[in-house]
Amino acid sequence: MLLNKLHAALPDITIKERWPLYQLCTLGTGGEAEFFAAPSSIEDMKILFSLVVSEGCPVYVLGGGSNVLFPDGLIRGVVISTQNLKAIEWRTPLTVDVDAGFKLPMLMKEVREKNLAGMEFAAGIPGTLGGAIMGNAGAGTHGVCELLDYVIAVEADGTIKTWNLGDINYSYRKCSLSDGKRLIVSARMTFRPFTPGDEKVLESFLLRRGSQPHGLRNAGCTFKNPEGYSAGKLLDDCGCKNLSVGDAIVSDVHANFILNRGHATSSDVMKLIEICAEKVYDSTGIKLEPEIKILAPCFSV
Ligand code: EPU
C-alpha cells in the first residue's frame, strides 16, 4: 500500500490523509486530498516525488495556492506542497539561490532591501517562486522567468536536473517547464543595481495593483489577457461585474477577479468562469483563456 511505502521511505515526513485543500488556496474552495505532504528538504522532495510517480499514483504539485482551483470532493493521489522549501542564499551581491517555496513578496522585499532591481513588475503578486516560474507570473509583458539563470527540478525518473534559461521556453504566462513532468525545487536569479528610474516603475506597478480588489478571497486574475486586449476591460464591457454563482462573484472593482464572498465551492467558481467566457465570446468572438490553474495531476494512470 502506498502509505506504508511512503512511511518506510520517508520516516520523518508527516503524510496527512484526507487533508482539506480549501485552506491551502487563496480562493478557499475545493475538496480533500487523499494524501498530502510538504517536505522541507530537496532530498525528501526527490524521494517523495519519484516514489509516488513510480507507483503510478496521481501526483499534484502545489505552490502558494494563489492561482489555483482545486476540484470539489476527494482528490485521489498525493498533493505535494513546496511550502516548506524556503531557503534563500545570496551567492554574489547580485545573484541569489532561492527555494521553490520561498514567497514572491518576501523575495521582492529582499531584493529591494539590497537595493537591487529587476522584479518591480512582480509588486503585489502573491504565491511562491516555484509557482510563479511555472506560470511565468508577472504583469504586462514581464514575467518571472526573465530573471532566471537556471532552475533546478526533480524529474519524473527521480533525477535532479538543472534547466539553464536557454533551455526554457517562456512567453506571456507560459513556461515550458510546466508540462507536468517535474517539480521545481529551486532557482538561481540575478538582479541589477536599483536606479532612481526603477522607483517610478515600482510605483506604477503598485498603483495598478491598488486598483484591484482587496480583502475578499480570490485567485488573482481569472483570465489571461488576449493579445491586444485587457481581459478585465472585455469582461467589464460585457457586463460581467457582480455576476454570481452561489458565493462566487465577479468583483465590481476589477472584472477579471472572481471573489469568494463566503462559502463558494470550486464548481460555483468553474460555472462563473464559463458564464463569463461565454458572455465575452458571444459579444466579441474572443475566446478567453483561464489564467487560474485548475489542478491537474502531473502523472496519473
Ligand atoms: N479595466 C476595466 N474594467 C475592469 C478591469 C480593468 O475597464 O473591470 C481596464 C483598466 O482600467 C485598464 C485596463 O483594463 O485600462 C487594464 O487593467 P489593469 O491595469 O488592471 O491590468 P490587467 O491587464 O487587467 C495585468 C495582470 C495583473 C497585474 C496587472 C497590474 C494579467 C492577466 N493581469 O492586469 O496580474 O496585477 O496587470 O500590473 O496579465 C494576475 O496575474 O493574477 C494579475 C492580476
Side-chain angles (χ1 to χ4, degrees), residues 138-139 172-173 205 208-209 212 220-221 223-225 230 232-233 236 241 254-257 291:
Y172 174 71
R173 304 299 171 271
F205 279 114
R208 282 177 74 190
R209 273 279 161 192
Q212 294 171 358
C221 284
F223 297 99
K224 297 179 183 182
N225 285 338
S230 154
K233 175 133 181 38
D236 192 358
K241 279 184 174 170
H254 194 301
N256 203 14
F257 282 72
E291 179 173 317

Side-chain angles (χ1 to χ4, degrees), residues 26-254:
T26 53
L27 246 179
T29 66
E32 293 173 329
E34 188 181 12
F35 301 115
F36 172 80
S40 53
S41 76
I42 291 177
E43 192 48 36
D44 284 349
M45 198 58 103
K46 178 180 147 182
I47 296 170
L48 175 64
F49 188 64
S50 49
L51 177 63
V52 178
V53 171
S54 68
E55 288 294 308
C57 179
V59 48
Y60 305 82
V61 180
L62 179 65
S66 53
N67 197 30
V68 293
L69 186 63
F70 299 119
D72 295 316
L74 182 67
I75 297 172
R76 293 263 170 222
V78 185
V79 173
I80 300 177
S81 167
T82 58
Q83 69 191 13
N84 292 326
L85 284 186
K86 44 191 182 191
I88 180 163
E89 199 166 338
W90 287 87
R91 298 292 178 184
T92 75
L94 301 180
T95 299
V96 65
D97 288 338
V98 193
D99 276 0
F102 199 81
K103 292 266 166 43
L104 214 56
M106 299 274 290
L107 180 59
M108 182 91 201
K109 195 164 163 265
E110 280 245 356
V111 167
R112 189 64 199 93
E113 276 168 11
K114 289 197 177 283
N115 216 22
L116 296 177
M119 64 180 300
E120 295 64 41
F121 63 84
I125 298 183
T128 56
L129 178 63
I133 294 171
M134 283 300 197
N136 193 19
T141 54
H142 291 286
V144 164
C145 290
E146 70 197 56
L147 301 167
L148 297 170
D149 292 350
Y150 59 73
V151 169
I152 299 178
V154 181
E155 302 293 314
D157 60 4
T159 55
I160 301 256
K161 180 165 174 175
T162 299
W163 291 85
N164 289 313
L165 185 58
D167 302 325
I168 304 170
N169 289 317
Y170 60 95
S171 54
Y172 174 71
R173 304 299 171 271
K174 278 201 180 97
C175 171
S176 56
L177 297 180
S178 67
D179 57 359
K181 295 186 173 149
R182 66 193 55 77
L183 184 158
I184 292 178
V185 287
S186 73
R188 175 165 291 188
M189 306 169 86
T190 297
F191 299 93
R192 57 178 170 77
F194 197 86
T195 63
D198 292 317
E199 190 68 57
K200 281 216 162 59
V201 177
L202 182 60
E203 272 166 22
S204 74
F205 279 114
L206 283 170
L207 200 71
R208 282 177 74 190
R209 273 279 161 192
S211 68
Q212 294 171 358
H214 296 285
L216 285 179
R217 306 193 74 148
N218 67 78
C221 284
T222 310
F223 297 99
K224 297 179 183 182
N225 285 338
E227 216 175 321
Y229 295 92
S230 154
K233 175 133 181 38
L234 287 170
L235 290 156
D236 192 358
D237 291 348
C238 295
C240 292
K241 279 184 174 170
N242 289 316
L243 283 180
S244 64
V245 175
D247 268 350
I249 181 164
V250 177
S251 165
D252 61 357
V253 174
H254 194 301

